[in-house]
Amino acid sequence: MTAYVPVVDLSDDQDEIVNDIRNACTNYGYFKVINHGIRSDVREGALSAGEDFFDLSEDEKMEYLSNDVERPVRYGTGGGNLDGDVRSCREFIKLYANPIEDYIEMWPDEPEGFRRRMRKYAKHVRRLAMTLAEAFTESLDLGSSHLTSQMEDDGMHVITVNGYPANDEPVLSLSAHSDYSIFTILLMNNPGLEVLDRDDDEWMSISECDGLLVLVGDHLEVLSNGRYRGVVHRAFYGGDESRISIASFHSLPLYTKMKPAPALVAEDNKKKYRSSSVQDFLEFLASANNISGGDTYIESLRKY
């Protein structure tokens, strides 16, 4: 079944943008953003850089192999079906990207042009993230600078480039999870993303892949004290071509705690979530030994 995808047009006036984001986050937990200012050649350059990286030899990719979830540049495989060869389902390269000057020399220098193409996309998508962060907090009546004042200089920006090989039959390539971030901006070249419908508890496919998708993450759920909920999603892919997706995770600085906004707690008369940081999530992930533990993580933050 195909999911409905709400659209937020950044060329609209600010009041309309904020209202559309509020509706999308309240009812769906995701939306497509258009007129976002990232040219198609920049997006296509990043996707091709990812595809070229996964075409490298095993030895070249293994240089970045690590199980250390705190490593700024990390290659890995798996995340889907555990019965059989998980490497056939998904491989990924994870890159810390802010401040980009601190990490760019750690990024792979092969294939040729990888750093240049991915850096260009990283800079564009971060500018978009700051615009969206302002609109998110305006939609919660917290003011436009509630997040950006903390995110602008030292906020976490992590890019995960995922590669899914061609398969005759669709396979579960990345298990169900919600993202630990405040929000995620997702670029992809082929369908394969599925979201869990909140009302029917059924998986719905996202058929559109010609733009950018924005996903509500766990820490926006915490900030909003539950007004917005992180969207549970997975990758379920099969097709004649390989699939590339580039997820840009945007968060507060590594050790900064995200907590429910006091104004929203006062309105609800109850604080519904514990405070947590990205570092807390990484420690949880390491202890769980599970690359897709976001849905379990948010459950650990909810106060019952």
Side-chain angles (χ1 to χ4, degrees):
M1 194 172 294
T2 302
Y4 169 73
V5 180
V7 176
V8 173
D9 187 345
L10 293 186
S11 68
D12 288 338
D13 65 72
Q14 189 66 8
D15 287 344
E16 189 167 356
I17 292 169
V18 168
N19 187 58
D20 287 345
I21 284 179
R22 182 184 297 113
N23 289 336
C25 292
T26 300
N27 297 308
Y28 299 97
Y30 60 88
F31 57 87
K32 179 180 176 180
V33 61
I34 62 174
N35 291 316
H36 43 66
I38 305 181
R39 300 189 314 269
S40 61
D41 63 295
V42 175
R43 304 196 306 270
E44 291 165 6
L47 289 168
S48 67
E51 190 167 17
D52 291 346
F53 176 83
F54 295 126
D55 284 341
L56 293 175
S57 69
E58 288 298 300
D59 287 344
E60 289 173 299
K61 289 183 286 190
M62 288 299 166
E63 179 182 344
Y64 302 97
L65 183 68
S66 176
N67 289 322
D68 181 359
V69 297
E70 297 187 40
R71 187 173 176 179
V73 177
R74 182 167 72 94
Y75 172 75
T77 61
N81 294 333
L82 300 181
D83 298 328
D85 182 10
V86 295
R87 183 169 302 188
S88 68
C89 298
R90 171 186 178 248
E91 55 184 334
F92 65 88
I93 182 76
K94 185 167 290 188
L95 310 166
Y96 279 27
N98 188 60
I100 200 164
E101 294 77 13
D102 291 354
Y103 299 110
I104 190 70
E105 294 301 320
M106 302 179 193
W107 291 11
D109 55 3
E110 295 290 340
E112 183 178 356
F114 178 88
R115 287 181 184 172
R116 173 181 52 79
R117 287 177 283 173
M118 202 60 71
R119 177 177 184 160
K120 182 178 290 188
Y121 178 72
K123 287 196 167 185
H124 279 77
V125 80
R126 181 155 177 79
R127 283 198 291 269
L128 172 60
M130 293 303 101
T131 298
L132 290 173
E134 291 182 351
F136 276 124
T137 53
E138 283 188 56
S139 74
L140 291 167
D141 297 320
L142 299 174
S144 62
S145 64
H146 187 91
L147 285 175
T148 55
S149 61
Q150 302 175 79
M151 293 174 65
E152 196 161 19
D153 294 328
D154 300 320
M156 291 290 292
H157 178 194
V158 179
I159 294 175
T160 299
V161 187
N162 300 290
Y164 304 93
N167 283 294
D168 293 335
E169 297 291 335
V171 295
L172 180 61
S173 307
L174 183 59
S175 302
H177 65 286
S178 59
D179 292 338
Y180 68 88
S181 55
I182 301 173
F183 59 92
T184 304
I185 300 174
L186 185 65
L187 171 68
M188 50 190 172
N189 67 346
N190 281 310
L193 177 70
E194 295 187 336
V195 295
L196 188 64
D197 185 87
R198 294 177 178 177
D199 297 325
D200 299 329
D201 205 32
E202 293 183 358
W203 288 105
M204 312 281 286
S205 63
I206 302 290
S207 60
E208 301 179 36
C209 57
D210 60 344
L212 295 173
L213 198 69
V214 181
L215 309 178
V216 172
D218 294 342
H219 276 174
L220 185 54
E221 180 172 331
V222 170
L223 175 69
S224 71
N225 206 32
R227 281 170 167 74
Y228 300 164
R229 298 290 292 270
V231 59
V232 177
H233 55 286
R234 68 182 186 180
F236 193 76
Y237 183 64
D240 296 334
E241 301 177 350
S242 62
R243 177 177 184 260
I244 303 294
S245 71
I246 302 177
S248 295
F249 303 96
H250 300 276
S251 307
L252 297 182
L254 184 62
Y255 295 99
T256 302
K257 300 279 189 179
M258 176 64 83
K259 62 183 179 180
L264 303 182
V265 172
E267 290 179 12
D268 293 340
N269 295 315
K270 181 181 180 181
K271 181 179 178 181
K272 299 176 182 177
Y273 299 83
R274 296 189 298 107
S275 301
S276 75
S277 66
V278 174
Q279 180 63 31
D280 292 332
F281 169 75
L282 293 176
E283 292 173 3
F284 173 88
L285 193 61
S287 65
N289 194 29
N290 179 1
I291 192 64
S292 58
D295 53 339
T296 304
Y297 180 65
I298 189 61
E299 284 295 329
S300 76
L301 299 181
R302 290 179 180 142
K303 299 178 70 173
Y304 295 101

